[in-house]
Amino acid sequence: MKKVLILGITGQDGSYLAEVLLEKGYEVHGLYRKSATGNTRNIEHILNKITLHRGDLLDTTSLYRVIKEVAPEEIYNEADQDHVGWSYDMVDFQYNVTGAAVGRILEIIKQINPQIKFFQPLSSNIFGKAMETPQKETTPFYPQSPYACAKVLAYVISKFYRETYDMFVATAIFYNHESPRRPEEYLTRKVTKAAARIYAGLENSLELGDLSAQIDWGYAKEYMEAAWSIMQQPKPDDYIICTAETHSVQEWVDETFAAVGLNPKQYVKINPKFLRPATTTVLVGDISKAKNAFGFNPQFKFKELIHLMLEEDLKAVGKTLPQKS
């Protein structure tokens, strides 16, 4: 039985990845950090099937201890500060936990056992003001936020260890990926949760920023399946993972509210405080490389994803999707 260590196992991606790897017969270990709320909500249903270890990406000693103790064949780093908006207010922390920590982990792997395979997720935000559309794995980076800059650093470090020390260090450039486990401070969940609560009569408005932004949205669990596939390739490489189609924030709002029979114009208000200092161009990727390498073909597209998330938020307020007549 293969052993795996997932850093950031309690988050959206880490928890889905744990499910995927359990289904594939792995012995799953996870690193989780001290938090004020001690939140293990996303993994409550599998706590008896996994082993948790205390630690933090900012604490080298805990990383070294856990990697040495677990002795995994594979490590997936799903731990970082992944909210673009927050990155402007926590710049030092952002660079440290999302960028420099990757160097810490890889140096520890090199010292303990350089045969351990390592997976590093990246973000489409590294392309920022994209030099071409759709973006490919070779498209130049043009980051437009501290978060994106930190992810560029993570990529550079990953490539350095892969090429210099001949280590198996693979990356995926993930475009936006959502799920019912997405925290409500993220746009997509903010919209589906508000629509459910408005439909249930618990709220009467929703404030948003730029509705014109075009975004490529996919389903987080499918992307974690892709992460595993990337780690099973003969050689480590970089792959773009997305749906290869975009929809505007306005479309997300319209589809969500329409699903519960509401007119968003009556409830949605624009608040300038939600606008970011810098904006990106349309980010949509070319998935040819992943499709050719391991048959990547996302099934959950725009409407399916919205309905999946909305059903969960309606359940929380005692409602279900209204039947179409």
Side-chain angles (χ1 to χ4, degrees), residues 240-254:
I240 281 178
I241 301 297
C242 64
T243 67
E245 64 178 50
T246 62
H247 295 271
S248 67
V249 175
Q250 183 70 65
E251 287 178 82
W252 183 280
V253 170
D254 291 346

Side-chain angles (χ1 to χ4, degrees), residues 12-17 20 174-182 217-227 241 300 305 308:
Q12 171 188 260
D13 290 4
S15 61
Y16 278 122
L17 180 59
V20 167
F174 287 135
Y175 284 60
N176 287 56
H177 46 293
E178 317 297 320
S179 77
R181 297 179 191 172
R182 189 56 122 172
W217 281 296
Y219 179 35
K221 188 166 186 179
E222 284 191 322
Y223 287 22
M224 293 307 101
E225 286 274 4
I241 301 297
F300 270 78
L305 185 57
L308 180 72

Side-chain angles (χ1 to χ4, degrees), residues 88 124-130 140-153 278-280:
Y88 288 99
S124 59
N125 283 276
I126 61 178
F127 297 124
K129 289 187 176 179
F141 303 149
Y142 203 149
Q144 292 293 294
S145 69
Y147 167 71
C149 290
K151 282 295 190 183
V152 170
L153 176 57
T279 57
T280 61

Side-chain angles (χ1 to χ4, degrees), residues 22-89:
L22 284 171
E23 290 164 8
K24 297 185 185 299
Y26 280 71
E27 178 184 320
V28 176
H29 294 254
L31 184 82
Y32 76 113
R33 65 186 176 89
K34 173 75 173 69
S35 69
T37 55
N39 184 16
T40 55
R41 182 180 58 214
N42 291 333
I43 54 172
E44 289 289 343
H45 61 297
I46 55 171
L47 279 175
N48 63 335
K49 300 176 183 177
I50 62 177
T51 304
L52 294 180
H53 304 264
R54 294 176 177 176
D56 197 297
L57 259 62
L58 299 181
D59 183 69
T60 307
T61 56
S62 65
L63 287 172
Y64 190 95
R65 170 179 51 79
V66 173
I67 292 172
K68 191 167 181 61
E69 278 179 11
V70 174
E73 280 99 327
E74 298 175 4
I75 296 176
Y76 294 77
N77 179 25
E78 301 299 336
D80 64 9
Q81 194 301 110
D82 66 350
H83 195 288
V84 175
W86 272 80
S87 76
Y88 288 99
D89 299 313

